[in-house]
Amino acid sequence: MKDMKEMTYKDAVKLAMCEEMRRDENVFLMGEDVGLYGGAFGVSVGMIEEFGEERVRDTPISEAAITGAAAGAAVTGMRPIVEIMFMDFTTIAMDALVNQAAKMRYMFGGKAKVPMTLRCPGGSGTGAAAQHSQSLEAWFCHVPGLKVVVPGTPADAKGLLKAAIRDDNPVVFVEQKTLYKEKGMVPLDEDFIIPLGKGEIKKEGSDVTVVTYGRMLPRVLRVAEELEKEGISVEVVDPRTLVPLDKELIINSVIKTGRVVLVNEACKTGGFIGEIAAIIAESEAFDYLDAPIVRLAGLDIPIPYNPRLEAAAVPSEEQIRAGIMKVMNR
Amino acid sequence: MATEVIMPKAGMDMKEGQIIKWKKKEGDYIEAGEVLLEIMTDKVNMEVEAETSGYLLKILYEEGAKVPVITPIAYIGERGEKIPEIEDKAKVTEEIEEAVEKEIVQEDIQVATNVMDIAGKVRATPAARRIARERNIDLTKVKGTGPKGRIQKADVENYRDSIKVTPLARRIAKMEGLDLEEIKGSGHEGKILKEDVVGALRSKGIADYDALDERTEVIPMSNVRKIIAERMTESYFSAPTFTLNTEVDMRNAIKLRQDVKDIILKETGKKLTINDIILLATSRALMKHPFVNSRLSDDNIILHKYVNLAFAIGMEDGLITPVIKDAHEMSLSEIVVAAKDLQERAMKKKLSPDELQGSTFTVSNLGMYGITYFNPIINQPNTAILGVSAIVDKLVKKDEEITTIPVMNLSLTLDHRVVDGVTGAKFLQDLKHLLENPLSMLI
């Protein structure tokens, strides 16, 4: 295994794409401004120079067309990576994604494969207002045939994106805008793959389990470290992929601690942590719960443009702390 | 810093000791090794020596006080040296405890109303329910300490520990409809004793269990009594026993006593009794019958290749069984000396705990009370106990003539888990032979 290198989340995503494109000529990237401009968030800067216009394709402003083209390319043997500039715009790509890409393998009796990866940055925190700040991962989780990945660290971003590109099914890969500049140690090994469906305990603990992913992960970890000093031992579980979900990891952790707090940025109503809550309640872990499950999620409102209101719309470190204290009866 | 003197723990069973007499007053100087006070444990009186030299700075408990083991009872140190402010500390602790108790009581009241918000439903977490289910605990009896009086895992786990109660106390409480949770236990680790229940009843104006009327008297069991009760119950209900009886012609044993008693008296200053001869014969017979001289330990039978012979001494406030160590190696006069010494010191309660432990077999003699037959209970962990009855004249036919001979009944109670009838019978047969032909003990 090669060395580790400190790099940003954004560079880890790029590294994963570059490695896979070097490894497999069928892998290519397309999206709005991914070529000459290097992507709206600069993820693909420099890639057009290495791989050329054929493999790093600038597209017209039509998410429906891009995603439809990708589904078609995938079914004919290519392994496209699509970048949708903001996750909010996947709504325009929904028919191609939900009705075509997700269904084809099933409807052709397994004869068709759709190895496409749809990358999209989600979440608020950049002052981009209601139409550019949503966390819509639960929409995709509700569609059988799609896999959904939300990495919370640079290393996970690399390992999971490589797994997504190599997967023969359509994968929605939700990047986190506010994490793009977060740094972390990333393995340089080209075979470093994190299998989809395998979560990770980011911090071991014994008093309470916090399940979280994506943008909320660093916040939860900071709170957990603080609480550790105050004598509360928090276990932080990151499922990393929502579909397929590492249920066993979550259930075992809850059995261990007997208390669980679920945190995500997305709106509370219909959010994916509601699904996790139901899975816990249905499982063996039920008999070990020693307090009601606590959910911390975004407010059920469009994300405000005002920066203070924007910040107040999603769980803060103070709120995460308060939620953990609540489940601990402290 | 002054050195504390603690109530010593002399023996496994000792939970508390009573201070009989302080040999020094506060302010007196005492040398290390000098006797500081006298205490009474479950079974014996003991002298406690000072472990350090210095002035007796403070006596914490007066004579007559019963004090749990390992509790400080005094301080020794240099003149003017400070001692920890025990009393103040105790007072503060008490105050805190009172305050906490009050708080808890208040909370409880709140809880009680909350828990039963919805008729017949208990607010409890799944984990609490699971544990209650596993341990067969009725959740309506558990007090929840969580939000809204919710019963949590810890509440159910503590519940099991919270009520420790003797069977008698439980029965009385049940009969009188008393909630055990309301009673504070005064026993070990807060165990609720009969006295606690009776006290609670009295405070509620139900005095039936007090001195009922002038024709009855309530006597709390002494420590010795409690231990006897515990040991006998344990023995009686753990060992399936049977008793073998035999009659021994005591003419030769009596003659032996007559022949040597003056010699032994002269040599040792002690009077030889028939019991001594029986102890001697028993120790010799046991060496030939190791299973009778054994004990059970889990799945193993442990045979002793020595005889530590206990003999029961009945005293006014209970029974004790001092042990003659290595009786199998002793001559008759040595046994006389050992037995008389133990007996005399037992009467003065001067035996050390060590002298009451480690027996391999026990002899209980009720002959002096004219008992002709009885059925002793084994002194655990022994496998057997020998009951010795009175020597009585018995009519026998001899050469067509009716004459009398002195006859004594021996009753051997055995643990059937370890030995069968034949083993016991053979031992008794040998013992009978030795007593009827005491000279054979010389061989």
Side-chain angles (χ1 to χ4, degrees):
Chain A
M1 179 154 163
K2 290 186 187 170
D3 293 342
M4 309 272 279
K5 190 183 165 192
E6 188 179 47
M7 65 177 77
T8 60
Y9 186 98
K10 185 164 67 177
D11 287 342
V13 171
K14 179 160 74 183
L15 181 60
M17 288 193 289
C18 292
E19 282 178 9
E20 290 308 298
M21 285 172 72
R22 284 173 205 137
R23 189 183 68 87
D24 182 349
E25 58 175 17
N26 290 323
V27 179
F28 70 100
L29 172 67
M30 65 175 164
E32 295 157 10
D33 283 338
V34 297
L36 289 175
Y37 185 70
F41 292 90
V43 175
S44 52
V45 167
M47 284 178 65
I48 195 167
E49 282 80 5
E50 179 177 351
F51 299 102
E53 290 180 355
E54 275 285 302
R55 299 184 69 197
V56 181
R57 302 176 74 97
D58 279 322
T59 63
I61 306 177
S62 171
E63 285 76 12
I66 308 164
T67 310
V75 87
T76 56
M78 302 298 284
R79 306 189 85 88
I81 305 166
V82 167
E83 180 181 302
I84 301 290
M85 194 181 280
F86 287 88
M87 184 181 211
D88 313 70
F89 307 161
T90 55
T91 54
I92 305 160
M94 274 303 190
D95 180 63
L97 195 61
V98 174
N99 287 327
Q100 309 306 331
K103 303 294 192 285
M104 269 192 267
R105 183 196 275 266
Y106 171 78
M107 295 190 74
F108 292 126
K111 287 177 184 166
K113 295 187 291 188
V114 190
M116 66 176 279
T117 301
L118 185 139
R119 293 178 38 239
C120 54
S124 63
T126 60
Q131 296 151 317
H132 301 75
S133 301
Q134 295 171 83
S135 301
L136 299 177
E137 61 271 17
W139 288 33
F140 304 106
C141 294
H142 195 58
V143 178
L146 296 180
K147 295 187 177 180
V148 181
V149 182
V150 192
T153 70
D156 287 351
K158 186 193 174 196
L160 288 164
L161 182 54
K162 286 167 72 81
I165 293 168
R166 295 186 191 187
D167 199 283
D168 281 342
N169 299 285
V171 178
V172 177
F173 191 85
V174 186
E175 293 163 17
Q176 304 287 290
K177 275 179 223 124
T178 52
L179 295 185
Y180 272 144
K181 289 177 184 167
E182 292 280 327
K183 285 183 177 171
M185 296 306 289
V186 177
L188 295 177
D189 183 354
E190 282 159 23
D191 292 320
F192 168 64
I193 299 274
I194 297 171
L196 304 186
K198 196 164 168 12
E200 188 178 57
I201 309 260
K202 296 289 191 200
K203 179 188 165 297
E204 297 241 5
S206 56
D207 294 335
V208 52
T209 297
V210 181
V211 183
T212 192
Y213 58 87
R215 181 184 173 196
M216 290 295 126
L217 176 66
R219 290 189 182 187
V220 168
L221 283 170
R222 280 194 292 272
V223 173
E225 293 301 336
E226 269 176 39
L227 289 176
E228 191 76 42
K229 289 176 209 148
E230 295 169 30
I232 298 174
S233 172
V234 183
E235 177 144 304
V236 182
V237 179
D238 177 9
R240 303 194 287 202
T241 45
L242 306 186
V243 179
L245 183 67
D246 194 343
K247 296 176 186 176
E248 204 186 333
L249 187 75
I250 295 169
I251 289 166
N252 286 339
S253 176
V254 176
I255 287 174
K256 180 167 88 172
T257 63
R259 295 165 196 273
V260 61
V261 177
L262 307 167
V263 190
N264 75 359
E265 183 183 350
C267 301
K268 191 166 191 175
T269 303
F272 191 72
I273 55 173
E275 181 65 26
I276 297 178
I279 287 167
I280 293 168
E282 282 177 339
S283 78
E284 174 70 15
F286 175 81
D287 277 337
Y288 294 82
L289 281 175
D290 206 19
I293 298 170
V294 169
R295 274 190 295 164
L296 301 172
L299 301 179
D300 288 327
I301 55 167
I303 295 295
Y305 175 58
N306 176 303
R308 289 197 182 168
L309 295 181
E310 182 189 25
V314 301
S316 65
E317 286 184 29
E318 289 71 32
Q319 286 165 334
I320 292 166
R321 183 189 175 86
I324 294 173
M325 291 310 225
K326 183 182 171 196
V327 82
M328 293 291 298
N329 298 328
R330 300 278 275 269
Chain B
M1 198 33 207
T3 311
E4 52 184 36
V5 180
I6 57 165
M7 174 61 71
K9 183 171 167 69
M12 294 283 280
D13 291 321
M14 182 171 171
K15 301 227 162 45
E16 60 176 23
Q18 189 174 12
I19 295 171
I20 301 301
K21 188 158 183 57
W22 286 101
K23 304 276 186 179
K24 298 278 173 188
K25 294 195 300 290
E26 281 182 17
D28 286 356
Y29 184 78
I30 185 161
E31 281 283 344
E34 218 180 324
V35 174
L36 176 58
L37 76 156
E38 201 180 313
I39 61 162
M40 185 163 71
T41 74
D42 299 337
K43 295 204 160 182
V44 289
N45 279 21
M46 258 181 72
E47 286 175 337
V48 180
E49 295 167 359
E51 289 183 4
T52 50
S53 304
Y55 292 92
L56 183 56
L57 297 174
K58 179 85 188 157
I59 288 174
L60 299 172
Y61 291 92
E62 293 305 313
E63 289 171 4
K66 287 184 178 172
V67 185
V69 293
I70 325 183
T71 309
I73 53 177
Y75 282 91
I76 293 174
E78 288 308 307
R79 253 190 232 282
E81 202 172 12
K82 266 196 150 175
I83 63 158
E85 288 168 29
I86 293 290
E87 277 165 320
D88 291 354
K89 218 193 267 173
K91 209 180 278 171
V92 171
T93 318
E94 215 167 90
E95 272 166 24
I96 292 171
E97 271 172 7
E98 249 169 55
V100 169
E101 225 162 89
K102 245 182 234 167
E103 224 167 84
I104 288 171
V105 169
Q106 278 170 357
E107 211 172 87
D108 283 352
I109 294 165
Q110 224 177 355
V111 162
T113 51
N114 272 332
V115 167
M116 300 308 273
D117 268 349
I118 304 162
K121 295 276 187 184
V122 177
R123 190 188 290 275
T125 67
R129 289 179 194 279
R130 173 176 53 85
I131 290 169
R133 209 159 51 230
E134 285 166 6
R135 298 191 185 158
N136 222 355
I137 291 171
D138 180 359
L139 276 177
T140 59
K141 300 220 163 67
V142 180
K143 286 195 170 104
T145 62
K148 299 182 182 174
R150 183 185 295 134
I151 300 167
Q152 307 176 118
K153 193 169 91 178
D155 298 326
V156 183
E157 281 171 343
N158 292 338
Y159 175 79
R160 177 194 57 175
D161 295 329
S162 65
I163 298 193
K164 278 191 177 158
V165 56
T166 64
L168 180 60
R170 188 188 290 281
R171 210 169 62 223
I172 296 172
K174 198 177 171 192
M175 264 159 56
E176 294 298 320
L178 207 60
D179 186 358
L180 284 171
E181 292 228 22
E182 292 173 10
I183 304 172
K184 206 169 171 229
S186 65
H188 186 55
E189 289 183 350
K191 190 171 193 172
I192 299 172
L193 311 176
K194 189 191 111 202
E195 294 92 272
D196 302 322
V197 179
V198 170
L201 287 170
R202 201 179 307 152
S203 71
K204 288 187 175 227
I206 310 165
D208 282 357
Y209 287 91
D210 210 354
L212 296 131
D213 55 40
E214 276 150 23
R215 294 181 298 165
T216 55
E217 192 186 350
V218 177
I219 297 175
M221 274 175 121
S222 66
N223 284 338
V224 180
R225 203 65 256 157
K226 280 184 205 162
I227 287 182
I228 294 171
E230 208 174 284
R231 293 224 178 118
M232 287 301 121
T233 307
E234 193 202 326
S235 175
Y236 195 81
F237 290 110
S238 65
T241 62
F242 62 102
T243 304
L244 303 173
N245 292 288
T246 191
E247 283 182 351
V248 183
D249 175 350
M250 291 298 280
R251 280 176 297 181
N252 290 338
I254 291 167
K255 185 168 183 304
L256 172 71
R257 176 167 175 263
Q258 295 299 340
D259 291 347
V260 299
K261 80 173 184 208
D262 290 336
I263 309 168
I264 289 180
L265 184 65
K266 203 173 155 197
E267 196 176 292
T268 67
K270 309 284 181 193
K271 240 170 87 181
L272 170 67
T273 63
I274 286 288
N275 195 56
D276 298 321
I277 298 171
I278 294 166
L279 292 178
L280 180 73
T282 304
S283 68
R284 298 298 187 271
L286 282 173
M287 289 306 282
K288 284 199 239 167
H289 298 273
F291 278 91
V292 181
N293 189 39
S294 70
R295 76 185 148 89
L296 195 61
S297 172
D298 296 324
D299 285 343
N300 296 318
I301 296 167
I302 295 171
L303 305 179
H304 301 107
K305 295 183 173 169
Y306 58 90
V307 178
N308 279 354
L309 196 55
F311 62 103
I313 301 176
M315 298 192 298
E316 251 172 47
D317 55 354
L319 168 85
I320 63 169
T321 51
V323 182
I324 302 173
K325 301 272 162 75
D326 294 322
H328 65 291
E329 289 177 343
M330 287 185 175
S331 68
L332 184 56
S333 59
E334 282 169 335
I335 282 185
V336 172
V337 170
K340 294 300 169 292
D341 170 53
L342 289 170
Q343 221 156 1
E344 279 159 20
R345 285 191 296 121
M347 290 302 173
K348 291 185 205 149
K349 302 199 173 191
K350 294 273 185 190
L351 291 175
S352 76
D354 188 45
E355 290 171 305
L356 296 167
Q357 289 167 355
S359 71
T360 61
F361 187 85
T362 304
V363 175
S364 177
N365 189 339
L366 289 176
M368 53 290 226
Y369 300 103
I371 299 301
T372 51
Y373 160 82
F374 71 109
N375 201 354
I377 291 177
I378 293 170
N379 179 24
Q380 292 273 4
N382 294 173
T383 288
I385 184 167
L386 183 71
V388 179
S389 293
I391 299 172
V392 290
D393 285 338
K394 195 176 175 182
L395 290 171
V396 290
K397 198 170 127 186
K398 197 182 169 198
D399 304 334
E400 295 306 310
E401 258 183 66
I402 301 293
T403 179
T404 61
I405 56 165
V407 163
M408 181 184 73
N409 198 319
L410 290 179
S411 310
L412 181 71
T413 296
L414 295 135
D415 184 342
H416 215 326
R417 293 175 303 176
V418 183
V419 291
D420 304 325
V422 173
T423 316
K426 283 184 176 166
F427 167 75
L428 264 190
Q429 205 176 24
D430 271 351
L431 180 57
K432 176 182 158 87
H433 177 79
L434 289 175
L435 287 170
E436 289 179 350
N437 309 282
L439 288 182
S440 61
M441 283 190 269
L442 297 177
I443 302 161

